[in-house]
Each structure stands twice: as structure tokens, then as C-alpha cells.
Amino acid sequence: MFTTSPDGVRIAYERQGHGPALLLLQGFEATRHIWHKLGYVEPLSQEFTVITMDRRGIGESDMPTDPAAYSIERVLGDVEAVLQACEVRRYKVWGHSFGGSTALQLATRSSQVERAVIAGSFFGRVYPQERIDEIVNWFESYLEAKAKGTLAELGFDAEEDIYLSQMNLPAQIACWRALVHWPIARPQNIHCPLLVYVGEADERVATPLKESRQEIEQAGVQLRFFENLDHQQEITEREILLEPVLSFLRG
């Protein structure tokens, strides 16, 4: 199914199940189908109306290449458009990585969010300029080498070529460039019950969460660390994650 955001961008989404609405938001490069592939939608849809969507720039959604198209207002406008299409006013949200960062923004801005689960993201400056520059430079060097036929000379292997060629890189670059302007989410600004979880092996996320643990927990946010899980395993390890998340979502 498709709906149209206020700025005219078409957004792909799906709805399945019955019960309270639960919005699932995946990582930066993944499509909505990852929730089906990893086996989440079927069990969750026994208790919730599960809503999945492709963010702008990914999957079947439109892929604008202007960084202004990926401002926080427009990204959250996509979410609102999907919720309106599903006739949902109040909902719970579970987001991983980029989806977790988006869910954090929702939890600080929207009175419609009843409960939020954040995986693989943290409070503060998640997307600093130096990280954005590193990723954008990598994408741009690939595009230039691809055009010149010099991928091997610059050290790009076949696996990287396949991986990068599957993405609309101008759209991804535009999104990355926009992220430096996203506002910082702070624990004291959360408007709903919130669970933040991270794998101990996901050091880029776990370290700032540990450093801010006292502030986070004083704000009433639940914080949980899973031993040995890395960034991808914060979503792929369904057998470990589903029950504690469900327990929180049920309230």
C-alpha cells in the first residue's frame, strides 16, 4: 500500500493483525520487509495491528535526492501520513538503529506515542559531522570509481560493489547530509514510557548509554544491556529480544 506525505513523497507501508497499533521502524538501509524476514510480524500481529513502512529513500518509497527532503519534520511527516492512512491516533513504536533514532524523535515530540522501544540508538548527537563525512565520502568515491571503471584500483571488492549498487546512493547521501541537523533527543524530554536496549558488543551505542545511565534512569527511562549482542544482533536475535520487548509493550 502507498500513501503520500505532505510534501508529495510517496511512502510504502503495510498493515497486518488486530489490536493496538504498533509501528516498526528498521535501520538505515533496510526495508520494511526485514520485520517479516526475521519473524517478528507474525507473532506481533497476534496482539497488535502491526504497521511497517519504507522510509523515504529506501525500498518502494520515493527517493528524493535533496538533503532538505530528509529533515526531521519531513521524516516524521511520513510517519504521520502512514498513521493517518491506517486511521491510527494512538500507537506504540519499536525502532532499531536509524529507526530507533526516529522513534526517539517521535517520543520527544508526539503525544500520540503510548510506549516506545529504542534499540541501537542513544540520546545526544547520534550523527556527528565527522561520521557523516566519512560515510558520504565512501559513497561518493564509489560512485566516481564506478563511473571511471576503477573500483578495483580504489580497493572496492565485488561484495561491496553488489551491496552499494543495490542502493540509490544519491538518495542515501542526501539523507546522511541532513542528519547533522536533526535535533538532539534528551531523556528528560520523553513523553511516554520508554525502553532503550543495546548489545554490549555495540560499543558505539553502549558506551554513551553507560556514560549517561544515571541521567537516563532518573528520567524514568528503562535501560537494558544484552550481553554479547552487536548492532545487527539487536534486531536479528528475535528469540532473545521478543519476549522482553513484548512485556514492555504490553505495559
Side-chain angles (χ1 to χ4, degrees), residues 19-23 47-49 51 83 88-94 103 106-118 190-195 220 222 247-251:
L22 171 61
L23 175 66
E47 299 186 39
F48 301 97
T49 298
I51 301 168
L83 295 172
V88 166
R89 293 190 58 81
R90 299 276 289 169
Y91 65 99
K92 306 170 195 289
V93 59
W94 180 0
L106 288 166
T108 64
R109 289 169 170 248
S110 176
S111 60
Q112 295 177 270
V113 180
E114 294 180 326
R115 284 180 171 262
V117 178
I118 311 301
I190 299 298
H191 296 312
C192 65
L194 178 68
L195 167 65
Q222 294 187 35
S247 178
F248 176 80
L249 290 173
R250 289 167 180 149

Side-chain angles (χ1 to χ4, degrees), residues 1 13-24 32-33 35-37 39-53 82 86 88:
M1 295 182 283
Y13 72 96
E14 294 178 5
R15 179 180 57 190
Q16 182 173 321
H18 302 280
L22 171 61
L23 175 66
L24 302 178
R32 67 190 190 277
H33 300 300
W35 297 101
H36 292 271
K37 180 180 178 181
Y40 284 99
V41 172
E42 183 175 353
L44 288 172
S45 64
Q46 304 305 309
E47 299 186 39
F48 301 97
T49 298
V50 178
I51 301 168
T52 56
M53 59 182 285
V82 169
C86 294
V88 166

Side-chain angles (χ1 to χ4, degrees), residues 98-239:
F98 181 82
S101 298
T102 305
L104 263 183
Q105 295 292 330
L106 288 166
T108 64
R109 289 169 170 248
S110 176
S111 60
Q112 295 177 270
V113 180
E114 294 180 326
R115 284 180 171 262
V117 178
I118 311 301
S121 189
F122 55 92
F123 298 96
R125 180 62 70 190
V126 180
Y127 306 107
Q129 186 70 62
E130 57 270 21
R131 180 168 182 244
I132 292 171
D133 288 344
E134 180 181 358
I135 293 170
V136 167
N137 290 340
W138 187 55
F139 286 161
E140 289 181 336
S141 65
Y142 168 81
L143 288 173
E144 182 178 358
K146 184 83 167 179
K148 293 180 178 179
T150 59
L151 287 177
E153 294 175 25
L154 290 183
F156 288 96
D157 59 28
E159 186 175 338
E160 288 174 320
D161 184 25
I162 293 171
Y163 166 71
L164 292 170
S165 66
Q166 292 173 342
M167 290 189 285
N168 182 324
L169 289 185
Q172 303 314 301
I173 289 169
C175 187
W176 276 110
R177 291 194 186 282
L179 293 180
V180 72
H181 301 295
W182 277 31
I184 293 175
R186 302 189 187 281
Q188 57 268 32
N189 296 331
I190 299 298
H191 296 312
C192 65
L194 178 68
L195 167 65
V196 177
Y197 75 82
V198 64
E200 291 274 8
D202 185 4
E203 294 183 3
R204 194 187 73 82
V205 177
T207 298
L209 286 173
K210 289 178 179 179
E211 292 173 348
S212 304
R213 186 167 195 161
Q214 183 175 359
E215 177 190 8
I216 292 169
E217 293 180 340
Q218 284 180 345
V221 175
Q222 294 187 35
L223 184 58
R224 180 162 181 177
F225 295 87
F226 285 91
E227 186 176 0
N228 298 326
L229 296 192
D230 62 24
H231 191 69
Q232 288 304 314
Q233 289 171 324
E234 291 159 358
I235 185 173
T236 59
E237 296 302 304
R238 179 176 56 85
E239 293 185 0

